[in-house]
Amino acid sequence: MTAKQHPVTTAFDTTASETGESSGAVRAEGTAEAAAAVDLVHVGKVFAAGAVTALSDISLTIAAGEFVSLIGPSGCGKSTLLRIVADLEQPSSGSVTVHGKSAERARKDQDYGIAFQQAGLLDWRTVAANVELPMELHRVPKAERRARSAELLEMAGLTDFAKRYPAELSGGMQQRVAIARALARKPSLLLMDEPFGALDEMTRERMQAELLRIAGETGAAVLFVTHSIPEAVFLSDRVVVMSARPGRVTDIVPTGGQGRDPDPDQDVRSSPVFFDAVAAVRAALRGDHGDGPVAGRDLR
């Protein structure tokens, strides 16, 4: 089956003898391995303190420019997996590459930007200065920093707030600043851990649309952690469903990037196709592959 713009093949353990994947692994291939934004191969994570197995045998490929969400029960290792891609945690087994580089090399080269649930802005710096911070730390010349900051703030719709301080902004505006900062070094990958989780529903929906617009304009791939099925469906080309701890990829639902280029005369979130996709992800979370929409169906 294919997801919008990004053909996908899913291989389950019934084909393990042919693909070389171990039993229980689900591997998703992008359009071309050489173009992969992220490639995870048999990744596992065991926390030595308490001997807790957080992740087991995760294999997943994310294509350049693709939007992929991780969803699953609390404590299933979604955030741990994202931190492994970011080189903030080390895997206990398996391998991680980001655009063909090791996760450590990608971090040092700033090939990715990262945003968390809290914006994490520095209160004593202006909006523009917060956006400039990653460039300042890498000794980018001042004129270049300011030009890039102005460009990103215009993209985020915050030009008029460049000289304001974080305390003067709403929660949604602070998150837009955080996303702009994550894009400061022109990363080809965005890693996002529930960045809209603390926002009210209306602000959250506006920020989802803003994120899709910004990702579309920059061409960045996105790995997005969420607990919200509708959010995952609206944003994503594919939704990766994880099991309870130890976290495994149990299903991959192609959702067709429904929030991209929506019909202005139709509310995407009220369409039958959207409801079908939400039902497919919910069924995958339950492990139900019976009647109704099922994981693996192309829901464009």
Side-chain angles (χ1 to χ4, degrees):
M1 298 295 174
T2 59
K4 184 178 180 181
Q5 299 179 341
H6 302 288
V8 179
T9 301
T10 56
F12 296 88
D13 55 353
T14 54
T15 59
S17 61
E18 296 176 4
T19 63
E21 303 294 337
S22 63
S23 178
V26 177
R27 184 164 178 79
E29 299 296 345
T31 53
E33 188 169 346
V38 177
D39 196 25
L40 306 171
V41 181
H42 300 307
V43 169
K45 177 64 179 180
V46 178
F47 290 101
V52 174
T53 301
L55 298 170
S56 177
D57 199 22
I58 302 286
S59 291
L60 175 69
T61 298
I62 300 172
E66 187 178 21
F67 200 122
V68 172
S69 288
L70 302 177
I71 196 166
S74 295
C76 72
K78 301 182 297 292
S79 295
T80 298
L81 185 59
L82 183 140
R83 289 174 63 85
I84 286 173
V85 175
D87 195 46
L88 301 177
E89 295 278 359
Q90 300 305 307
S92 303
S93 59
S95 65
V96 181
T97 55
V98 177
H99 289 289
K101 306 176 184 178
S102 69
E104 179 183 16
R105 183 71 263 161
R107 174 178 57 80
K108 290 178 178 177
D109 290 347
Q110 289 201 321
D111 286 339
Y112 68 81
I114 191 165
F116 297 101
Q117 184 169 343
Q118 300 300 321
L121 305 179
L122 301 180
D123 292 339
W124 60 91
R125 295 177 72 104
T126 65
V127 165
N130 268 283
V131 174
E132 291 176 27
L133 182 59
M135 296 179 283
E136 186 177 325
L137 293 173
H138 282 77
R139 297 184 174 85
V140 174
K142 182 181 291 187
E144 184 178 340
R145 293 200 312 263
R146 290 185 174 174
R148 178 63 174 160
S149 174
E151 176 188 354
L152 289 167
L153 290 176
E154 181 179 6
M155 182 185 298
L158 293 169
T159 298
D160 293 342
F161 297 88
K163 295 182 179 179
R164 300 288 185 90
Y165 289 87
E168 300 177 86
L169 307 182
S170 68
M173 293 167 73
Q174 290 183 17
Q175 281 301 98
R176 276 190 277 167
V177 176
I179 293 170
R181 182 181 59 189
L183 291 165
R185 294 281 289 166
K186 300 183 180 179
S188 51
L189 172 67
L190 282 175
L191 304 174
M192 312 193 79
D193 193 353
E194 296 195 76
F196 310 141
L199 303 180
D200 65 84
E201 192 65 21
M202 293 302 295
T203 302
R204 184 173 184 147
E205 288 188 3
R206 286 198 300 270
M207 289 302 300
Q208 290 167 2
E210 284 293 310
L211 174 58
L212 286 178
R213 180 180 64 81
I214 291 169
E217 289 180 7
T218 62
V222 183
L223 180 59
F224 191 94
V225 170
T226 182
H227 281 101
S228 168
I229 296 174
E231 179 171 70
V233 168
F234 181 79
L235 291 171
S236 308
D237 295 305
R238 292 183 292 153
V239 177
V240 175
V241 179
M242 296 179 64
S243 68
R245 194 176 68 227
R248 298 181 176 89
V249 175
T250 58
D251 235 324
I252 297 169
V253 183
T255 48
Q258 298 195 33
R260 296 185 182 182
D261 303 317
D263 184 341
D265 297 324
Q266 182 179 20
D267 180 2
V268 171
R269 295 179 177 86
S270 298
S271 71
V273 174
F274 184 83
F275 284 127
D276 278 356
V278 169
V281 175
R282 185 172 288 117
L285 281 166
R286 291 197 308 261
D288 176 10
H289 306 299
D291 296 335
V294 295
R297 172 182 169 187
D298 189 342
L299 293 164
R300 286 178 294 178

